[in-house]
Every structure is written in C-alpha cells, then in structure tokens.
Amino acid sequence: MFLDWCVEAEQSFWQLLPLTPTGHGGSPYGSHSAFAGNAMLISPDGLVSDGFLPQSAIDLTPAFSDQHVELVRVAELKNRLLRESWAWFQRGASPEARLALEAFTFAPEQEIWLDDWALYSALKIRFGGIDWLRWNRELAMRDPRALSAARRELQDQVAFHKYIQFLFFRQWTRVREQAGRRRITVIGDVPIYVALDSADVWSHPGIFHLSDDGQPLAVAGVPPDYFSKTGQRWGNPLYRWDRMEADGYDWWVARLRANFRLTDVVRLDHFRGFASYWEVPSTEATAVNGRWIAGPGIAFFNGIRARLGDVPLIAEDLGDITAEVDELRTVSGLPGMHVLQFGFGDDPKNPHRPSNHVSHSVVYTGTHDNDTTVGWYEKTMGEDRERLKEWLGDDDTPIEWRMIQAAYESPAVIAMVPMQDVLGLGSEARMNVPGEGADNWTWRATPRQFLSEHALLLRRLAEATGRTR
C-alpha cells in the first residue's frame, strides 16, 4: 500500500533508517551487527503466506498502539512467532524451501558475517543478554576450541538465527523488487561506526582500537554542538584505519556490498568522520574532553571504488563541518545534505539557507534527528521566525507545506520529506532526540494515514517544480 501511495504522490525516492538489528533504546545506529537484518521487521503475515507459520499462530495477535511501536511487547511477540516458525519449518517445510534456506546459508556473500552473527546471537542468549566482553574469556577472545565446542552445543540455536536472517532477506528482497517495479529508488543508511557489543567487533577485533582484553582504548562521539552542550559520547570503538587500508578495506567493501543488495543508494552517516573524527578517552563520561584525529580521507573512497566501482553514495555532512570536510566531499564527488530547519539563522553563508543550496545535494525539511517541522516551528521565536516568514511567506498555508514547497523548489537534485511533515504532526511524532537514551525510535505510521489528499498535494508540488517521476 505504501509504495502505491508513493506512485500516487509522484514520489521517486524512499529513504530508510538502517535495517540492521537495533541496539539500546531501539536505536538503529547502535546495532549488534553491520550486516544482519532486523528480525523485528519480519512480517508474520508473510510467514503465513509462505507456509512458514500456520494462520492460527497470528489469529489472536494482541492490539498495539497506532502511534508508537511498543518495543518490548513487539519483541516478545515476534520472538515467539519466529520460534514457532522455526519449529514449523523443521517439521514440514517443502524441499524447495529447505533448498532455499541452504542456498542462502552457504551463499558467498554470507561468508564474512552469517556464521559469526548466528553464534554471537546464540551465545548472547546463553549468557543472559550481557555484552560479549563479559562472556567467559575463552569465548570472548575467540579461542578456536571454545568456539568449536559452542557451535556443537548450540547448533540448533545457531541454525535458528540463520533461519531468521533467511526470512528477513527473503521478505526484504520482495519489498525491494516491488519498489523497483514502481520505479522507486530506495536509499539506505550506513552508520559510520558499529556498537562495541556487536558481532562485528567480537569477530573482527583486529580492525578496531582495542586493548588486549577487548576493551576500547577510545570511543567515538561528537563535540558539543547544536544538539548537546556536552557533546555526544557514542561509545563506539574506533577503527584501525591503517590496518583497513592495508587490506584494501575488505570489511568496508563487504559491508557496502551487503547494503547495496538491500538498497539502490547508500547514505554514509557522519561523513565528517572520514575526514577527521572526535576521539574520546574511554574513561570520560562525556564527549567534552575529546580531540580531532585525521580520518582515512580520500584514500578510503578511492579504495572502495577500486573494488566496487562508482557506487552511488550520499554524504551526511551535518554537524561541525570544516573546509577539510567540504574538500573531501568535493574530491570524492559525493552529494551532501541541506536541512531547511538549519537554514534560517543570521549567517548569510549558512549552506542550509535556501539561497545557498547547490544542485549536487539532497535537501530535507528535517531529518530523523530533528523535531518535526510543526514542533520545530512552535519553538522557533524572535528573529529566526521573522526570517522564516521572509523566506516562506506568512499566509494561511500550514508551515509544514510551506517547508515542503521550499524543499521542492530547491535546486538540490533530490528533495526528501519525513512522513511526519507530510502528515502535519507535532513533537509527539519526533523520531529521535540526540543524546537522549529513552523514548526514541518508536513513531509509526498506519495505513489509514496514507491519504489521497496528501498524495495529491505532493503530486502537484512535484509537477510544479519538475520533480515528477
């Protein structure tokens, strides 16, 4: 239904948050894997239609909130259904389905991650959900004999987690194909960092700055900025870029290749970290006392293109952007981002100001880290609001549609609008407040919200500004 609504609205692009398993607080930017798919996105109805679950298993599904995802309740339900599906599959799957699972499990593209992810997931359950650094030392440090013993002891659990990934990729491939048939380009999102408690760090410790016992020597973050007075201490381990360069960026090549199997275009989150990144001592409680360290620079993008070709990437170049970051984006040839909510201050050189937009870019009314346009406007006062009126006019048109029109009229090659803005929702629908660990990532839309009247407004704007499909 959503994809058909996009066609009705004359939309050509659909941008997603990362599709990997979510981390603390439901964040898709703190995933336990850079490669695995999020099991919570698997459709129970799809399992029934594929014959991997009986209809009776979902007949008594409880009611959930229409406005927000109830993360704990959803996880409990989905995990139960996935267990039932695995048991059902083992008992009665067709030969074709069994061959499909085997083909997925042993496909070359799964070699770098699937075995490790499945064993990591099984061990995480065995140890009560604690992070891998607190497992027994032999398993945490990947002693070969301990790993072999664990694979034998947990073979059914390991097989179950491989089955989950088979289901995710089977269903998502269909979604991607449906988007392609409608000529909708899917834009994915790759966080620059991975979580310390992830299968990636556990299975590839040599490419991260870790001590001999696996502890991070320093962690990632950003300095104090618009979003936080103490900065953001993300806690992600930092890369050993020297080692990555030496092996031709093998891990990153595999990661991007995996993402291009999911989406058509990839946005690189925190692009400025490729130019230089904020290193925070792991002993610090906030990100204030960090320092800038040179990133891999153009060598990274040259290395990626040498292996993958001229793949379509977008630079998320927000935050503390310097001439060095601008130069890297220019030399690498990546389009950057303009965010209209940042564009109405008093700096005439502000790159987000509509008059400073460039064509080789993507413009947003706001991103997942911003308030909704309605919520933002309610908090915008004084001179900023007056400048906003000068740029967008001060008629009876709702502020969200004046902002959407400004995005569509931008010279940027792509204009992206969060669904919350299309629907005219306030701060209650905000997706994320950076630096806040709770009450994020839960906003949801329901089918009845995808109205033809909204589609018609978007279509008219697309036709008026030459953004038709």
Side-chain angles (χ1 to χ4, degrees):
M1 174 190 175
F2 169 70
L3 293 174
D4 289 334
W5 180 87
C6 288
V7 173
E8 184 183 1
E10 200 66 21
Q11 301 300 291
S12 303
F13 296 91
W14 174 25
Q15 183 167 334
L16 308 165
L17 293 173
L19 295 171
T20 47
T22 55
H24 176 70
S27 172
Y29 294 92
S31 178
H32 297 295
S33 173
F35 293 84
N38 185 355
M40 297 302 101
L41 298 176
I42 295 173
S43 164
D45 289 324
L47 296 181
V48 172
S49 63
D50 274 347
F52 296 161
L53 196 66
Q55 177 66 44
S56 59
I58 63 172
D59 280 343
L60 298 178
T61 299
F64 291 91
S65 167
D66 283 345
Q67 286 77 41
H68 293 275
V69 178
E70 299 175 62
L71 296 174
V72 174
R73 290 185 66 214
V74 168
E76 290 173 350
L77 174 65
K78 287 283 182 80
N79 286 328
R80 176 175 62 78
L81 292 177
L82 290 169
R83 291 283 179 185
E84 289 184 29
S85 176
W86 175 229
W88 184 265
F89 185 94
Q90 289 177 297
R91 287 195 303 269
S94 68
E96 292 79 10
R98 293 180 188 276
L99 284 173
L101 173 59
E102 183 178 354
F104 170 81
T105 300
F106 293 103
E109 56 264 30
Q110 266 64 271
E111 184 177 357
I112 192 173
W113 70 274
L114 185 58
D115 284 344
D116 286 318
W117 165 252
L119 181 57
Y120 166 89
S121 300
L123 285 168
K124 197 163 182 64
I125 293 173
R126 174 181 171 182
F127 286 107
I130 63 174
D131 63 80
W132 65 266
L133 285 164
R134 293 188 287 161
W135 300 349
N136 68 52
R137 182 170 178 80
E138 290 76 14
L139 287 170
M141 296 295 105
R142 298 181 62 82
D143 176 81
R145 289 176 296 181
L147 293 179
S148 294
R151 287 192 179 96
R152 289 193 302 271
E153 295 167 12
L154 300 171
Q155 58 182 327
D156 185 65
Q157 294 296 319
V158 169
F160 167 63
H161 287 288
K162 291 181 180 180
Y163 174 68
I164 289 176
Q165 293 305 307
F166 162 70
L167 297 176
F168 172 87
F169 283 93
R170 180 183 178 92
Q171 291 191 0
W172 181 254
T173 297
R174 292 171 181 169
V175 174
R176 174 93 181 276
E177 289 172 350
Q178 289 293 327
R181 290 192 187 105
R182 292 163 175 79
R183 294 185 293 116
I184 295 173
T185 298
V186 182
I187 302 176
D189 200 359
V190 170
I192 185 173
Y193 297 119
V194 298
L196 175 61
D197 183 19
S198 66
D200 308 285
V201 179
W202 175 63
S203 59
H204 299 281
I207 63 174
F208 298 93
H209 274 291
L210 305 176
S211 65
D212 291 340
D213 60 356
Q215 297 290 340
L217 298 172
V219 296
V222 290
D225 62 7
Y226 171 88
F227 289 115
S228 174
K229 293 180 180 179
T230 59
Q232 298 176 49
R233 184 191 184 279
W234 295 335
N236 310 81
L238 297 169
Y239 296 115
R240 286 291 306 267
W241 287 114
D242 54 338
R243 293 181 180 178
M244 287 185 157
E245 183 177 18
D247 67 16
Y249 302 101
D250 278 346
W251 184 85
W252 265 100
V253 167
R255 185 187 191 189
L256 288 173
R257 186 177 282 132
N259 275 273
F260 280 113
R261 286 192 288 269
L262 296 172
T263 62
D264 303 297
V265 181
V266 167
R267 188 192 83 140
L268 291 175
D269 189 61
H270 196 57
F271 172 81
R272 74 104 57 243
F274 293 103
S276 57
Y277 53 89
W278 191 247
E279 178 188 86
V280 182
S282 56
T283 54
E284 290 288 328
T286 72
V288 172
N289 295 318
R291 61 174 182 162
W292 289 111
I293 302 293
I298 194 60
F300 171 80
F301 294 98
N302 290 341
I304 294 299
R305 285 174 172 145
R307 303 278 297 277
L308 297 180
D310 192 16
V311 289
L313 301 169
I314 295 170
E316 185 273 292
D317 55 341
L318 306 178
D320 184 10
I321 302 305
T322 64
E324 170 197 33
V325 181
D326 286 334
E327 181 181 1
L328 178 60
R329 189 194 63 247
T330 300
V331 173
S332 64
L334 272 60
M337 290 174 53
H338 300 300
V339 179
L340 285 175
Q341 286 190 23
F342 298 150
F344 300 100
D346 58 2
D347 180 5
K349 296 182 179 180
N350 181 347
H352 304 288
R353 180 175 284 199
S355 59
N356 293 330
H357 291 188
V358 297
S359 60
H360 192 51
S361 65
V362 183
V363 62
Y364 299 76
T365 54
T367 74
H368 59 268
D369 283 336
N370 293 95
D371 202 343
T372 67
T373 289
V374 170
W376 164 78
Y377 183 70
E378 289 174 350
K379 301 175 183 68
T380 301
M381 300 297 172
E383 294 181 0
D384 286 351
R385 180 171 281 219
E386 292 305 312
R387 278 188 291 269
L388 185 62
K389 292 177 181 178
E390 290 176 12
W391 280 103
L392 305 183
D394 190 22
D395 57 24
D396 293 332
T397 304
I399 183 59
E400 65 272 19
W401 285 101
R402 281 184 274 158
M403 285 281 276
I404 293 171
Q405 180 173 343
Y408 272 52
E409 291 175 345
S410 167
V413 68
I414 298 173
M416 297 298 303
V417 181
M419 275 306 305
Q420 293 97 318
D421 287 355
V422 175
L423 300 175
L425 302 178
S427 297
E428 75 283 354
R430 181 170 182 165
M431 185 61 77
N432 180 50
V433 180
E436 297 290 332
D439 301 322
N440 290 323
W441 313 110
T442 66
W443 179 80
R444 63 177 299 201
T446 59
R448 66 174 178 270
Q449 289 178 294
F450 294 98
L451 303 176
S452 289
E453 62 187 75
H454 292 142
L456 179 60
L457 288 171
L458 288 173
R459 173 182 283 269
R460 287 173 175 169
L461 276 178
E463 291 170 348
T465 56
R467 292 192 182 274
T468 51
R469 290 153 47 78

